[in-house]
Amino acid sequence: PVPGRCAYFVERKKRFCKMIPAPGRRFCGEHGQQEEENGRKRIPCPLDPKHTVYEDQLQKHLKKCNSREKPKPVYFVQGINAGLKDVAEIPGKRVPLSSLSKEELENLITKLKKASNGLEVHLKEQILSHQALQEALNDPKNGESAFKHLKQQASILGNMEKLHLLGPGRCFIEFGAGRGKLSHWVDVALQNVENVQFLLVERATTRFKVDGKHQRRDSIFERLQVDIQHLCLNKVPILEKKKLPVVGIGKHLCGAATDLALRCLVESYTTCCDAENEEPAPKRSRTDQTEVASNNSADNESSQADCKPVAGIVIALCCHHKCDWAHYVGREFFKSVGLGPVEFHYFQRMSSWATCGMRETTNKASASEESEEQTNDTEEHEQTFSKIESGPDTLQGILTVEERKEIGCLCKRLIDHGRIEYLQQRGYKAVLQYYIESAVSLENVLLTAVPSPSLVPEPTT
């Protein structure tokens, strides 16, 4: 052990504990049970057995343990964005792809190609940049990993600017915010703009957050630690107070999280707003009905003014293999082309074939030495591809690598098209496009959506 550090060897990590023990002791408080210290005994915490506590201090510890159940925030509404309520529609146990016969696999591929017939598979390239990131992009101190993230963030901001979403009087909601880098660059791009606020939605605690470093008083940063499926935007205090138009953003929003975010923005949020704005209509005589009919259009415009619609959505998609039929917003589209939850399950698994090349990239990246901050900036999806691709679902020997990639891309486009149709049915102009080169990221598709012109809110200044 290192002098001055705990002498306990952590078998799981193959190294000694790095904690500093109290003066005169060999072990830290966590590993002190290895010594009999004045007869005090340490026991596993009943809330989280991964850590221990002195038995005589258990009750005191339970009141402040980080694993204790905390009171739910006002914007927590159980399962408001979850989607499917009928569990009978969710199939039971499904066999892995590797267990399918060649005939069953060919039947699935035939269904995939039939359903994809007529869809726009080859997307338009919209690789842009933004002046706010030019200095960072030209900084030679950035390593390859940081440079790749900066290029993606620059293109996302460029696409937001093209859609006129970077402006005053808006609330930017970053879903799956992580460290909050995307919101950081949006804030930099809006440095001379007033009345801007940011909501960073992330269900897990995050280290090395950047939103706390902002010194500007014009913009407000607030974190919402909640799962997206339970987030009711209408009850977020800062949105209730200012009622700013909302712009939903996300960089690599994994799998089902994209569907939850879309439903949170365009379905649950507006539904909650409409419900609050509705008042019971008093009974009227027949002579009043003509006057009521003439005022209907004005009333509708007034209620829309009170409840600002979503001004735009810009989300970089990824990890289709993590999608879930229960949360998926494109179920109606799948049913319309003769597909159901069983096909969806296999297509989501097959979608990982499109990123076969990520395994080599990931291995190279892990071999290089990076700072702790850069390592934490690595996207979760980049750590999962090697596991997916090295599994039995790759069906090597039945399909070539190129065939698997082509089928995987087709699965992704089919799943994404369901999302596009979902948005279009709700009055949005939705588009899929390549926002970055595949050499930078194999997950290089950006979903953008803006309301039809009649629904676009006027910015609040």
Side-chain angles (χ1 to χ4, degrees):
V2 179
R5 299 296 177 96
C6 177
Y8 182 81
F9 185 79
V10 185
E11 186 65 33
R12 180 172 59 88
K13 298 184 178 181
K14 304 299 180 184
R15 62 166 173 79
F16 285 95
C17 174
K18 294 182 179 180
M19 298 298 290
I20 301 175
R25 299 181 185 267
R26 294 183 58 236
F27 298 96
C28 66
E30 180 65 24
H31 300 124
Q33 73 264 33
Q34 303 302 312
E35 292 184 324
E36 292 188 9
E37 302 172 356
N38 301 323
R40 299 179 74 190
K41 180 183 178 183
R42 292 187 71 88
I43 59 173
C45 172
L47 299 178
D48 182 6
K50 292 180 181 178
H51 65 274
T52 60
V53 60
Y54 283 114
E55 190 174 25
D56 56 1
Q57 292 185 340
L58 177 60
Q59 295 307 316
K60 181 180 179 182
H61 171 79
L62 292 177
K63 294 178 181 179
K64 61 181 182 180
C65 179
N66 289 333
S67 298
R68 72 189 186 281
E69 185 176 355
K70 301 176 181 65
K72 297 289 188 293
V74 293
Y75 47 79
F76 181 96
V77 178
Q78 183 73 36
I80 187 172
N81 306 312
L84 189 62
K85 301 295 191 296
D86 184 10
V87 293
E89 193 176 334
I90 303 174
K93 187 177 179 181
R94 290 151 292 191
V95 298
L97 285 173
S98 56
S99 300
L100 297 178
S101 66
K102 185 176 180 180
E103 291 73 21
E104 289 173 322
L105 179 62
E106 288 175 347
N107 184 41
L108 273 175
I109 295 174
T110 300
K111 286 184 177 181
L112 172 66
K113 292 181 177 179
K114 182 180 178 182
S116 304
N117 188 30
L119 299 186
E120 189 178 354
V121 179
H122 302 289
L123 307 180
K124 175 185 174 184
E125 278 196 358
Q126 190 85 329
I127 302 173
L128 305 176
S129 190
H130 196 279
Q131 187 62 35
L133 290 95
Q134 289 309 304
E135 184 178 346
L137 285 167
N138 296 327
D139 188 350
K141 294 181 181 179
N142 287 321
E144 182 183 352
S145 176
F147 181 71
K148 286 168 58 178
H149 289 297
L150 287 169
K151 287 197 71 174
Q152 294 173 68
Q153 290 152 352
S155 186
I156 291 174
L157 260 67
N159 277 278
M160 291 176 67
E161 186 173 51
K162 186 170 183 179
L163 294 170
H164 308 291
L165 297 177
L166 294 178
R170 300 195 186 280
C171 175
F172 295 89
I173 304 179
E174 183 178 357
F175 292 92
R179 296 174 56 204
K181 275 293 189 72
L182 185 55
S183 292
H184 163 77
W185 289 117
V186 172
D187 186 51
V188 172
L190 298 173
Q191 55 184 339
N192 298 320
V193 175
E194 297 180 349
N195 197 17
V196 176
Q197 64 188 47
F198 294 88
L199 292 176
L200 282 69
V201 182
E202 178 59 63
R203 65 181 179 182
T205 54
T206 308
R207 301 175 66 194
F208 306 110
K209 296 186 286 287
V210 298
D211 43 298
K213 300 177 183 178
H214 290 268
Q215 302 298 321
R216 286 182 56 216
R217 296 182 179 179
D218 296 338
S219 58
I220 301 171
F221 276 75
E222 182 178 337
R223 277 195 174 258
L224 307 179
Q225 188 174 343
V226 61
D227 193 308
I228 302 171
Q229 69 174 310
H230 308 308
L231 172 59
C232 179
L233 290 177
N234 190 51
K235 294 187 177 182
V236 176
I238 200 166
L239 283 179
E240 264 189 315
K241 181 180 179 182
K242 291 197 173 183
K243 301 186 183 299
L244 296 178
V246 163
V247 178
I249 59 176
K251 176 175 175 286
H252 294 307
L253 197 55
C254 289
T258 294
D259 300 299
L260 295 173
L262 293 178
R263 193 176 284 109
C264 177
L265 288 165
V266 306
E267 190 172 330
S268 303
Y269 181 44
T270 53
T271 299
C272 287
C273 288
D274 293 340
E276 285 200 355
N277 287 328
E278 287 178 1
E279 293 182 3
K283 291 184 178 180
R284 302 177 185 272
S285 63
R286 290 191 176 186
T287 56
D288 294 332
Q289 289 179 1
T290 304
E291 182 182 351
V292 171
S294 64
N295 290 332
N296 272 345
S297 59
D299 291 341
N300 289 337
E301 289 178 6
S302 174
S303 65
Q304 276 198 356
D306 291 337
C307 176
K308 300 291 187 183
V310 175
I313 301 170
V314 180
I315 295 176
L317 306 172
C318 84
C319 294
H320 295 72
H321 62 274
K322 289 188 175 182
C323 290
D324 190 298
W325 176 256
H327 300 319
Y328 182 50
V329 296
R331 292 194 302 269
E332 292 305 317
F333 162 71
F334 256 62
K335 292 175 183 177
S336 70
V337 292
L339 303 175
V342 174
E343 289 84 5
F344 180 83
H345 164 73
Y346 289 122
F347 291 165
Q348 69 167 106
R349 298 299 303 170
M350 291 156 67
S351 71
S352 65
W353 295 349
T355 51
C356 293
M358 184 61 79
R359 185 181 180 189
E360 182 181 356
T361 306
T362 306
N363 292 339
K364 287 182 179 179
S366 62
S368 62
E369 293 184 3
E370 294 180 343
S371 66
E372 186 173 10
E373 184 171 346
Q374 287 174 321
T375 302
N376 277 272
D377 203 33
T378 302
E379 302 293 346
E380 179 187 0
H381 72 276
E382 292 182 0
Q383 300 169 6
T384 60
F385 281 134
S386 60
K387 297 176 184 177
I388 295 294
E389 295 308 326
S390 60
D393 283 358
T394 52
L395 296 170
Q396 297 189 17
I398 299 178
L399 298 169
T400 67
V401 172
E402 288 304 317
E403 286 173 334
R404 290 202 303 273
K405 284 185 179 181
E406 182 182 348
I407 292 169
C409 288
L410 210 54
C411 290
K412 283 177 175 285
R413 296 296 78 80
L414 188 68
I415 292 172
D416 289 339
H417 187 79
R419 293 163 170 168
I420 293 296
E421 285 214 355
Y422 168 82
L423 291 168
Q424 289 174 344
Q425 289 171 0
R426 282 156 180 80
Y428 286 82
K429 181 183 178 181
V431 179
L432 293 171
Q433 57 210 0
Y434 294 119
Y435 78 104
I436 204 71
E437 300 90 346
S438 59
V440 175
S441 174
L442 291 178
E443 294 284 26
N444 60 343
V445 175
L446 188 71
L447 183 153
T448 63
V450 291
S452 61
S454 62
L455 295 177
V456 175
E458 292 294 330
T460 304
T461 56

